[in-house]
PDB file of all heavy atoms in Angstrom:
ATOM      1  N   VAL R 129      -8.931  -7.970   0.840  1.00 98.00           N
ATOM      2  CA  VAL R 129      -8.450  -8.851   1.905  1.00 98.00           C
ATOM      3  C   VAL R 129      -8.498 -10.295   1.426  1.00 98.00           C
ATOM      4  O   VAL R 129      -9.564 -10.812   1.067  1.00 98.00           O
ATOM      5  CB  VAL R 129      -9.299  -8.686   3.180  1.00 98.00           C
ATOM      6  CG1 VAL R 129      -8.742  -9.547   4.309  1.00 98.00           C
ATOM      7  CG2 VAL R 129      -9.342  -7.215   3.599  1.00 98.00           C
ATOM      8  N   LYS R 157       3.951 -10.249   7.740  1.00 80.00           N
ATOM      9  CA  LYS R 157       5.084 -10.318   8.656  1.00 80.00           C
ATOM     10  C   LYS R 157       5.547 -11.758   8.729  1.00 80.00           C
ATOM     11  O   LYS R 157       4.749 -12.671   8.911  1.00 80.00           O
ATOM     12  CB  LYS R 157       4.678  -9.845  10.059  1.00 80.00           C
ATOM     13  CG  LYS R 157       4.628  -8.345  10.218  1.00 80.00           C
ATOM     14  CD  LYS R 157       4.364  -7.981  11.664  1.00 80.00           C
ATOM     15  CE  LYS R 157       4.417  -6.480  11.873  1.00 80.00           C
ATOM     16  NZ  LYS R 157       4.135  -6.106  13.280  1.00 80.00           N
ATOM     17  N   ARG R 174       7.475  -3.562   3.619  1.00 89.00           N
ATOM     18  CA  ARG R 174       6.268  -3.179   4.360  1.00 89.00           C
ATOM     19  C   ARG R 174       6.316  -1.715   4.756  1.00 89.00           C
ATOM     20  O   ARG R 174       5.339  -0.975   4.627  1.00 89.00           O
ATOM     21  CB  ARG R 174       6.124  -4.048   5.624  1.00 89.00           C
ATOM     22  CG  ARG R 174       5.564  -5.427   5.388  1.00 89.00           C
ATOM     23  CD  ARG R 174       5.601  -6.241   6.671  1.00 89.00           C
ATOM     24  NE  ARG R 174       4.832  -5.622   7.741  1.00 89.00           N
ATOM     25  CZ  ARG R 174       3.534  -5.819   7.939  1.00 89.00           C
ATOM     26  NH1 ARG R 174       2.853  -6.626   7.163  1.00 89.00           N
ATOM     27  NH2 ARG R 174       2.914  -5.226   8.946  1.00 89.00           N
ATOM     28  N   LEU R 193      -3.905  -7.170   0.949  1.00 97.00           N
ATOM     29  CA  LEU R 193      -3.281  -7.700   2.159  1.00 97.00           C
ATOM     30  C   LEU R 193      -3.967  -8.984   2.569  1.00 97.00           C
ATOM     31  O   LEU R 193      -5.047  -9.317   2.065  1.00 97.00           O
ATOM     32  CB  LEU R 193      -3.337  -6.680   3.290  1.00 97.00           C
ATOM     33  CG  LEU R 193      -4.709  -6.370   3.921  1.00 97.00           C
ATOM     34  CD1 LEU R 193      -4.519  -5.673   5.263  1.00 97.00           C
ATOM     35  CD2 LEU R 193      -5.572  -5.498   3.011  1.00 97.00           C
ATOM     36  N   THR R 194      -3.347  -9.717   3.483  1.00 97.00           N
ATOM     37  CA  THR R 194      -3.974 -10.933   3.997  1.00 97.00           C
ATOM     38  C   THR R 194      -4.842 -10.601   5.207  1.00 97.00           C
ATOM     39  O   THR R 194      -4.664  -9.558   5.851  1.00 97.00           O
ATOM     40  CB  THR R 194      -2.923 -11.980   4.406  1.00 97.00           C
ATOM     41  OG1 THR R 194      -2.118 -11.446   5.461  1.00 97.00           O
ATOM     42  CG2 THR R 194      -2.054 -12.371   3.234  1.00 97.00           C
ATOM     43  N   GLU R 195      -5.735 -11.498   5.514  1.00 96.00           N
ATOM     44  CA  GLU R 195      -6.646 -11.301   6.639  1.00 96.00           C
ATOM     45  C   GLU R 195      -5.879 -11.152   7.952  1.00 96.00           C
ATOM     46  O   GLU R 195      -6.217 -10.323   8.795  1.00 96.00           O
ATOM     47  CB  GLU R 195      -7.602 -12.478   6.709  1.00 96.00           C
ATOM     48  CG  GLU R 195      -8.752 -12.315   7.662  1.00 96.00           C
ATOM     49  CD  GLU R 195      -9.764 -13.431   7.504  1.00 96.00           C
ATOM     50  OE1 GLU R 195      -9.394 -14.522   7.027  1.00 96.00           O
ATOM     51  OE2 GLU R 195     -10.934 -13.217   7.861  1.00 96.00           O
ATOM     52  N   GLY R 196      -4.811 -11.930   8.113  1.00 94.00           N
ATOM     53  CA  GLY R 196      -4.026 -11.847   9.336  1.00 94.00           C
ATOM     54  C   GLY R 196      -3.334 -10.508   9.505  1.00 94.00           C
ATOM     55  O   GLY R 196      -3.113 -10.053  10.637  1.00 94.00           O
ATOM     56  N   SER R 197      -3.020  -9.841   8.394  1.00 95.00           N
ATOM     57  CA  SER R 197      -2.322  -8.561   8.471  1.00 95.00           C
ATOM     58  C   SER R 197      -3.197  -7.439   9.015  1.00 95.00           C
ATOM     59  O   SER R 197      -2.682  -6.405   9.449  1.00 95.00           O
ATOM     60  CB  SER R 197      -1.783  -8.158   7.093  1.00 95.00           C
ATOM     61  OG  SER R 197      -0.789  -9.059   6.653  1.00 95.00           O
ATOM     62  N   LEU R 198      -4.507  -7.625   8.988  1.00 94.00           N
ATOM     63  CA  LEU R 198      -5.405  -6.580   9.488  1.00 94.00           C
ATOM     64  C   LEU R 198      -5.112  -6.230  10.942  1.00 94.00           C
ATOM     65  O   LEU R 198      -5.293  -5.091  11.361  1.00 94.00           O
ATOM     66  CB  LEU R 198      -6.864  -7.028   9.361  1.00 94.00           C
ATOM     67  CG  LEU R 198      -7.527  -6.894   8.001  1.00 94.00           C
ATOM     68  CD1 LEU R 198      -8.874  -7.602   8.013  1.00 94.00           C
ATOM     69  CD2 LEU R 198      -7.688  -5.428   7.600  1.00 94.00           C
ATOM     70  N   ASN R 199      -4.650  -7.208  11.702  1.00 92.00           N
ATOM     71  CA  ASN R 199      -4.403  -6.983  13.126  1.00 92.00           C
ATOM     72  C   ASN R 199      -2.933  -6.746  13.448  1.00 92.00           C
ATOM     73  O   ASN R 199      -2.554  -6.719  14.621  1.00 92.00           O
ATOM     74  CB  ASN R 199      -4.934  -8.172  13.942  1.00 92.00           C
ATOM     75  CG  ASN R 199      -6.445  -8.303  13.844  1.00 92.00           C
ATOM     76  OD1 ASN R 199      -7.167  -7.298  13.892  1.00 92.00           O
ATOM     77  ND2 ASN R 199      -6.932  -9.515  13.689  1.00 92.00           N
ATOM     78  N   ASP R 200      -2.097  -6.558  12.423  1.00 91.00           N
ATOM     79  CA  ASP R 200      -0.692  -6.226  12.653  1.00 91.00           C
ATOM     80  C   ASP R 200      -0.576  -4.859  13.313  1.00 91.00           C
ATOM     81  O   ASP R 200      -1.263  -3.905  12.922  1.00 91.00           O
ATOM     82  CB  ASP R 200       0.085  -6.187  11.331  1.00 91.00           C
ATOM     83  CG  ASP R 200       0.376  -7.574  10.791  1.00 91.00           C
ATOM     84  OD1 ASP R 200       0.179  -8.551  11.535  1.00 91.00           O
ATOM     85  OD2 ASP R 200       0.804  -7.673   9.627  1.00 91.00           O
ATOM     86  N   GLU R 201       0.298  -4.753  14.309  1.00 89.00           N
ATOM     87  CA  GLU R 201       0.561  -3.460  14.929  1.00 89.00           C
ATOM     88  C   GLU R 201       1.462  -2.636  14.024  1.00 89.00           C
ATOM     89  O   GLU R 201       2.504  -3.097  13.574  1.00 89.00           O
ATOM     90  CB  GLU R 201       1.211  -3.645  16.295  1.00 89.00           C
ATOM     91  CG  GLU R 201       0.279  -4.202  17.347  1.00 89.00           C
ATOM     92  CD  GLU R 201       0.893  -4.159  18.730  1.00 89.00           C
ATOM     93  OE1 GLU R 201       2.066  -3.763  18.851  1.00 89.00           O
ATOM     94  OE2 GLU R 201       0.198  -4.516  19.698  1.00 89.00           O
ATOM     95  N   VAL R 202       1.040  -1.413  13.754  1.00 88.00           N
ATOM     96  CA  VAL R 202       1.783  -0.498  12.883  1.00 88.00           C
ATOM     97  C   VAL R 202       1.716   0.906  13.491  1.00 88.00           C
ATOM     98  O   VAL R 202       0.861   1.192  14.328  1.00 88.00           O
ATOM     99  CB  VAL R 202       1.181  -0.465  11.459  1.00 88.00           C
ATOM    100  CG1 VAL R 202       1.366  -1.800  10.757  1.00 88.00           C
ATOM    101  CG2 VAL R 202      -0.302  -0.082  11.507  1.00 88.00           C
ATOM    102  N   GLY R 303       4.490   0.399  17.041  1.00 69.00           N
ATOM    103  CA  GLY R 303       3.098   0.225  16.660  1.00 69.00           C
ATOM    104  C   GLY R 303       2.153   0.859  17.669  1.00 69.00           C
ATOM    105  O   GLY R 303       2.246   0.605  18.866  1.00 69.00           O
ATOM    106  N   GLU R 305      -1.257   1.443  16.385  1.00 89.00           N
ATOM    107  CA  GLU R 305      -2.557   1.069  15.851  1.00 89.00           C
ATOM    108  C   GLU R 305      -2.417  -0.283  15.164  1.00 89.00           C
ATOM    109  O   GLU R 305      -1.348  -0.891  15.172  1.00 89.00           O
ATOM    110  CB  GLU R 305      -3.036   2.124  14.842  1.00 89.00           C
ATOM    111  CG  GLU R 305      -3.256   3.504  15.411  1.00 89.00           C
ATOM    112  CD  GLU R 305      -3.797   4.469  14.375  1.00 89.00           C
ATOM    113  OE1 GLU R 305      -3.793   4.117  13.175  1.00 89.00           O
ATOM    114  OE2 GLU R 305      -4.223   5.557  14.762  1.00 89.00           O
ATOM    115  N   THR R 306      -3.505  -0.727  14.557  1.00 92.00           N
ATOM    116  CA  THR R 306      -3.438  -1.887  13.683  1.00 92.00           C
ATOM    117  C   THR R 306      -3.773  -1.420  12.263  1.00 92.00           C
ATOM    118  O   THR R 306      -4.302  -0.318  12.063  1.00 92.00           O
ATOM    119  CB  THR R 306      -4.433  -2.979  14.097  1.00 92.00           C
ATOM    120  OG1 THR R 306      -5.777  -2.477  13.936  1.00 92.00           O
ATOM    121  CG2 THR R 306      -4.211  -3.391  15.548  1.00 92.00           C
ATOM    122  N   LEU R 307      -3.471  -2.252  11.284  1.00 93.00           N
ATOM    123  CA  LEU R 307      -3.810  -1.887   9.908  1.00 93.00           C
ATOM    124  C   LEU R 307      -5.313  -1.686   9.740  1.00 93.00           C
ATOM    125  O   LEU R 307      -5.752  -0.883   8.918  1.00 93.00           O
ATOM    126  CB  LEU R 307      -3.318  -2.970   8.946  1.00 93.00           C
ATOM    127  CG  LEU R 307      -1.922  -2.782   8.377  1.00 93.00           C
ATOM    128  CD1 LEU R 307      -1.520  -3.979   7.533  1.00 93.00           C
ATOM    129  CD2 LEU R 307      -1.826  -1.499   7.568  1.00 93.00           C
ATOM    130  N   ARG R 308      -6.092  -2.393  10.542  1.00 94.00           N
ATOM    131  CA  ARG R 308      -7.547  -2.216  10.506  1.00 94.00           C
ATOM    132  C   ARG R 308      -7.925  -0.755  10.778  1.00 94.00           C
ATOM    133  O   ARG R 308      -8.888  -0.230  10.213  1.00 94.00           O
ATOM    134  CB  ARG R 308      -8.192  -3.133  11.541  1.00 94.00           C
ATOM    135  CG  ARG R 308      -9.689  -3.201  11.521  1.00 94.00           C
ATOM    136  CD  ARG R 308     -10.178  -3.992  12.727  1.00 94.00           C
ATOM    137  NE  ARG R 308      -9.616  -5.335  12.730  1.00 94.00           N
ATOM    138  CZ  ARG R 308     -10.167  -6.372  12.107  1.00 94.00           C
ATOM    139  NH1 ARG R 308     -11.283  -6.204  11.436  1.00 94.00           N
ATOM    140  NH2 ARG R 308      -9.618  -7.559  12.164  1.00 94.00           N
ATOM    141  N   ASP R 309      -7.143  -0.092  11.663  1.00 93.00           N
ATOM    142  CA  ASP R 309      -7.432   1.298  12.010  1.00 93.00           C
ATOM    143  C   ASP R 309      -7.130   2.260  10.866  1.00 93.00           C
ATOM    144  O   ASP R 309      -7.556   3.418  10.899  1.00 93.00           O
ATOM    145  CB  ASP R 309      -6.619   1.714  13.242  1.00 93.00           C
ATOM    146  CG  ASP R 309      -6.979   0.899  14.477  1.00 93.00           C
ATOM    147  OD1 ASP R 309      -8.176   0.604  14.649  1.00 93.00           O
ATOM    148  OD2 ASP R 309      -6.070   0.538  15.244  1.00 93.00           O
ATOM    149  N   ILE R 311      -8.167   1.903   7.865  1.00 92.00           N
ATOM    150  CA  ILE R 311      -9.302   1.938   6.950  1.00 92.00           C
ATOM    151  C   ILE R 311     -10.190   3.131   7.300  1.00 92.00           C
ATOM    152  O   ILE R 311     -10.689   3.239   8.420  1.00 92.00           O
ATOM    153  CB  ILE R 311     -10.105   0.629   7.022  1.00 92.00           C
ATOM    154  CG1 ILE R 311      -9.210  -0.550   6.632  1.00 92.00           C
ATOM    155  CG2 ILE R 311     -11.330   0.692   6.115  1.00 92.00           C
ATOM    156  CD1 ILE R 311      -9.836  -1.904   6.879  1.00 92.00           C
ATOM    157  N   GLU R 325     -13.438 -12.485   7.972  1.00 92.00           N
ATOM    158  CA  GLU R 325     -13.906 -11.098   7.996  1.00 92.00           C
ATOM    159  C   GLU R 325     -14.967 -10.899   6.918  1.00 92.00           C
ATOM    160  O   GLU R 325     -15.017 -11.630   5.931  1.00 92.00           O
ATOM    161  CB  GLU R 325     -12.745 -10.136   7.737  1.00 92.00           C
ATOM    162  CG  GLU R 325     -11.626 -10.206   8.749  1.00 92.00           C
ATOM    163  CD  GLU R 325     -11.933  -9.427  10.016  1.00 92.00           C
ATOM    164  OE1 GLU R 325     -13.015  -8.801  10.089  1.00 92.00           O
ATOM    165  OE2 GLU R 325     -11.099  -9.449  10.924  1.00 92.00           O
ATOM    166  N   LEU R 347     -18.309  -4.847   8.977  1.00 41.00           N
ATOM    167  CA  LEU R 347     -17.760  -4.326  10.220  1.00 41.00           C
ATOM    168  C   LEU R 347     -18.109  -2.847  10.337  1.00 41.00           C
ATOM    169  O   LEU R 347     -18.112  -2.121   9.351  1.00 41.00           O
ATOM    170  CB  LEU R 347     -16.241  -4.504  10.233  1.00 41.00           C
ATOM    171  CG  LEU R 347     -15.754  -5.960  10.182  1.00 41.00           C
ATOM    172  CD1 LEU R 347     -14.249  -5.995  10.122  1.00 41.00           C
ATOM    173  CD2 LEU R 347     -16.254  -6.729  11.389  1.00 41.00           C
ATOM    174  N   MET R 350     -16.202  -0.165   8.535  1.00 37.00           N
ATOM    175  CA  MET R 350     -16.035  -0.319   7.093  1.00 37.00           C
ATOM    176  C   MET R 350     -17.237   0.186   6.300  1.00 37.00           C
ATOM    177  O   MET R 350     -17.370  -0.110   5.133  1.00 37.00           O
ATOM    178  CB  MET R 350     -15.778  -1.788   6.747  1.00 37.00           C
ATOM    179  CG  MET R 350     -14.494  -2.340   7.351  1.00 37.00           C
ATOM    180  SD  MET R 350     -14.254  -4.052   6.920  1.00 37.00           S
ATOM    181  CE  MET R 350     -12.710  -4.400   7.781  1.00 37.00           C
TER     182      MET R 350
END
Side-chain angles (χ1 to χ4, degrees):
V129 183
K157 280 186 176 179
R174 281 174 59 88
L193 70 163
T194 62
E195 190 171 24
S197 295
L198 279 170
N199 295 318
D200 284 348
E201 289 189 356
V202 293
E305 297 183 349
T306 65
L307 269 175
R308 187 188 302 272
D309 298 322
I311 300 171
E325 299 279 358
L347 298 177
M350 297 180 181

